[in-house]
Amino acid sequence: MEDYLVKAASDDFSFTVSIAITTKLVERAREVHETSRLATAALGRALSLVSIMGTDLEGRQTVSLQIISNGPLKGLFVQSDASGNVRGYIKNPYIELPPNEIGNIDVESGIGKSGYLYVVKDLGFGSPYIGITPLVKGGIATDLAHYFYTSEQTPSVVAAGTYIGPNGRVEASGGMIGRILPGTSFDKIEILEERLNSLPPLSELIRELGSVESILKLIFGSIPYMILEKRSIRYHCPCSKERAKTTLILLGKEELSSILEEGFTEVTCIFCGARYYFNKEELEEIIASIE
Ligand SMILES: [Zn+2]
């Protein structure tokens, strides 16, 4: 089954629930970055949530989540475009920690409780919008819910989980964002929160039910709802030699001249590991193009 997400709304538009199944794309991220179980779990949560945030975009817009924190993983960066292409990396991909007190992968300690969550939206109108909130828990989902509440004044319920099999491979992964729409009465907010919070962990639901549609049925129960959007999502990096060239240009003439002395350079993409080779002539051309 390919990864996909579905956005649904209650009939009266008092709230929306978006759920993404991200098993394949998180497994792809694990292969690319050779992440430990801890790093896979952390990166998996972030990739799942940013893929849902991508549904608010259009055209060439992008949304990114960045965490800079004091835990041993140090932080991560994930990004989605408007077409369901998601990519990301984690600062310390090989770190492992003992399980937490209930025997689960300890993402909270891996990320750490002290640090910041940055939400960067490049909407294509000049400088990007940047929202920053301090981390409240380090588990990513709660931190993002805190961001929605404090920066966007949207009460929300956020969950994400990645189940990793004994061989270290991703067997189930997903994310969910439930949002209360403006003007909704307090009792409806309570009903939604109660329902979403009483569910088993999301990765368990994905393993048991297998489809977003059946999870939505379980969440909405007798509340009438409609599907607003369904789209496929994937791990994809749009890098190219042309973009790698831009990175080199940003280094400036002086730095490039010292690279030129070595005769060649190679730019490795931090998101997908692709390598772009530039020979002496190409480097000279780039230096000559800088004013
Ligand atoms: Zn790339």
Side-chain angles (χ1 to χ4, degrees):
M1 186 181 62
E2 292 305 310
D3 291 339
Y4 71 109
L5 65 80
V6 178
K7 188 173 187 174
S10 62
D11 250 7
D12 60 356
F13 275 99
S14 55
F15 61 88
T16 62
V17 178
S18 302
I19 298 177
I21 292 184
T22 57
T23 310
K24 284 205 168 139
L25 77 86
V26 176
E27 171 62 10
R28 179 73 195 124
R30 184 191 73 81
E31 286 170 357
V32 168
H33 300 293
E34 297 173 344
T35 41
S36 65
R37 297 170 70 84
L38 174 68
T40 306
L43 192 56
R45 290 184 189 184
L47 285 166
S48 303
L49 295 172
V50 85
S51 70
I52 295 174
M53 292 172 78
T55 58
D56 295 335
L57 307 175
E58 51 190 52
R60 295 168 67 86
Q61 299 176 339
T62 59
V63 59
S64 310
L65 292 181
Q66 183 175 21
I67 290 173
I68 297 176
S69 59
N70 69 339
L73 293 170
K74 291 287 175 204
L76 54 81
F77 181 95
V78 292
Q79 188 176 62
S80 174
D81 69 8
S83 314
N85 298 308
V86 183
R87 61 180 185 167
Y89 64 87
I90 191 154
K91 284 219 178 118
N92 280 334
Y94 311 128
I95 299 283
E96 206 62 271
L97 282 180
N100 63 16
E101 63 280 0
I102 53 164
N104 290 336
I105 298 177
D106 198 353
V107 175
E108 279 78 7
S109 302
I111 296 283
K113 283 175 187 60
S114 179
Y116 289 91
L117 170 73
Y118 300 76
V119 175
V120 182
K121 292 180 190 170
D122 189 344
L123 303 177
F125 320 116
S127 40
Y129 160 86
I130 304 174
I132 309 170
T133 48
L135 295 180
V136 287
K137 215 173 162 205
I140 303 172
T142 312
D143 303 301
L144 186 61
H146 179 68
Y147 164 81
F148 285 138
Y149 190 66
T150 54
S151 293
E152 299 187 358
Q153 287 78 46
T154 313
S156 62
V157 180
V158 181
T162 296
Y163 178 81
I164 300 162
N167 57 6
R169 285 171 174 272
V170 177
E171 291 188 7
S173 180
M176 177 190 72
I177 299 179
R179 280 171 145 173
I180 315 292
L181 300 175
T184 301
S185 64
F186 190 71
D187 55 317
K188 281 224 165 111
I189 298 177
E190 274 192 328
I191 293 173
L192 178 69
E193 282 188 336
E194 208 172 280
R195 268 205 194 174
L196 295 180
N197 289 327
S198 67
L199 292 175
L202 189 60
S203 56
E204 204 174 299
L205 282 176
I206 292 169
R207 289 176 76 204
E208 276 172 24
L209 301 174
S211 77
V212 173
E213 288 82 352
S214 20
I215 302 172
L216 284 171
K217 247 183 217 165
L218 186 73
I219 292 172
F220 281 94
S222 59
I223 304 170
Y225 68 100
M226 62 187 114
I227 304 288
L228 300 179
E229 186 181 352
K230 179 174 175 174
R231 62 159 72 178
S232 58
I233 41 178
R234 68 202 72 78
Y235 194 91
H236 174 76
C237 181
C239 68
S240 63
K241 190 162 179 180
E242 207 43 42
R243 291 193 187 198
K245 199 169 136 184
T246 315
T247 321
L248 287 176
I249 292 170
L250 289 174
L251 292 176
K253 228 169 188 172
E254 207 173 306
E255 178 86 27
L256 281 171
S257 302
S258 74
I259 292 174
L260 183 65
E261 282 169 28
E262 292 174 31
F264 72 95
T265 195
E266 204 173 54
V267 178
T268 306
C269 175
I270 196 165
F271 294 103
C272 72
R275 291 166 161 197
Y276 299 99
Y277 181 88
F278 292 86
N279 63 24
K280 192 162 175 273
E281 289 70 38
E282 288 171 313
L283 283 171
E284 281 169 345
E285 215 173 276
I286 292 168
I287 293 169
S289 74
I290 302 173
E291 285 305 310

